[in-house]
Amino acid sequence: MKFLRAAATLVFALLLCSSLPTTALGDTDASTPPATSTPAAEDSSTSTDSPPLADQKSRLEVQQEQFKAMAPFLFVGSIVGVVVGLLFAALMFWKVFTKAGYPGWASLIPIYNMYVLCKIGGKPGWWVLLMFIPLVGIILLLLVCIDIAKNFGQGAGYGVGLFFLGFIFFPILGFGDAQYIGPRGDGLTPLPAV
């Protein structure tokens, strides 16, 4: 459970960091209203509210330089985030697959892992082909998640949680104390030919 709590904290921190605004690149003050131009203020000798045009260009150039300096870090950070997310997904599905009696390496193969999820849910393997149809695939995946939850002794609400918040519910299923009881409820599942 400590690992699960740490993983949930990591996911929350990643989501929080990715939702921070990135508009604070320059030294502009967002609290000052933009300068407005009125006919009376057209005279440059009396107007001190708006900065000169050269100063505005230099601010834009500074912001562009700062963004160019940050771009490699943003790129590397996004790549690291994707790799960490994929490793986390592989680990959580690995535990669910092994708990259901299937080989854990099956979670690493892209389309085959959906086939194994269908089998864990007690659905026919050809449903994977139907999952490529846009709206049909979403509905079938929801049904598979509900049946996976039922085959692990959980309710339909837990299956809906698997569908919408899989990054939370699948690790609980894999690392928790839920036991795979199978589609028939006898704890036996046919293993695929390897």
Side-chain angles (χ1 to χ4, degrees):
M1 280 319 263
K2 289 182 182 180
F3 171 77
L4 190 59
R5 196 173 306 132
T9 304
L10 176 67
V11 168
F12 178 73
L14 288 174
L15 289 175
L16 182 65
C17 290
S18 67
S19 66
L20 292 176
T22 58
T23 57
L25 293 176
D27 58 345
T28 59
D29 187 13
S31 63
T32 59
T36 57
S37 175
T38 60
E42 291 292 328
D43 186 15
S44 63
S45 63
T46 60
S47 175
T48 59
D49 291 340
S50 64
L53 186 59
D55 189 33
Q56 289 179 353
K57 285 184 181 179
S58 66
R59 285 185 183 177
L60 180 63
E61 290 171 357
V62 167
Q63 288 179 351
Q64 288 175 346
E65 289 173 10
Q66 288 175 345
F67 181 75
K68 286 179 184 178
M70 288 176 41
F73 296 108
L74 294 173
F75 177 73
V76 170
S78 63
I79 295 294
V80 168
V82 167
V83 168
V84 167
L86 288 174
L87 288 175
F88 181 70
L91 179 66
M92 70 180 179
F93 282 123
W94 189 294
K95 291 297 288 183
V96 171
F97 284 13
T98 56
K99 193 178 269 193
Y102 287 89
W105 57 263
S107 67
L108 304 176
I109 303 171
I111 296 174
Y112 183 63
N113 62 10
M114 292 303 296
Y115 172 80
V116 173
L117 278 176
C118 286
K119 289 299 183 180
I120 291 172
K123 300 298 181 189
W126 56 268
W127 274 30
V128 173
L129 298 175
L130 294 177
M131 287 185 185
F132 288 108
I133 302 172
L135 289 176
V136 174
I138 293 172
I139 294 169
L140 291 180
L141 187 60
L142 176 63
L143 294 174
V144 166
C145 287
I146 290 172
D147 286 338
I148 287 172
K150 288 180 181 177
N151 291 342
F152 275 94
Q154 307 293 329
Y158 195 91
V160 173
L162 285 173
F163 179 74
F164 287 109
L165 297 171
F167 63 94
I168 295 173
F169 284 86
F170 271 109
I172 293 172
L173 195 64
F175 293 103
D177 56 353
Q179 296 296 317
Y180 183 71
I181 56 175
R184 295 180 302 273
D186 56 4
L188 301 174
T189 179
L191 292 176
V194 178

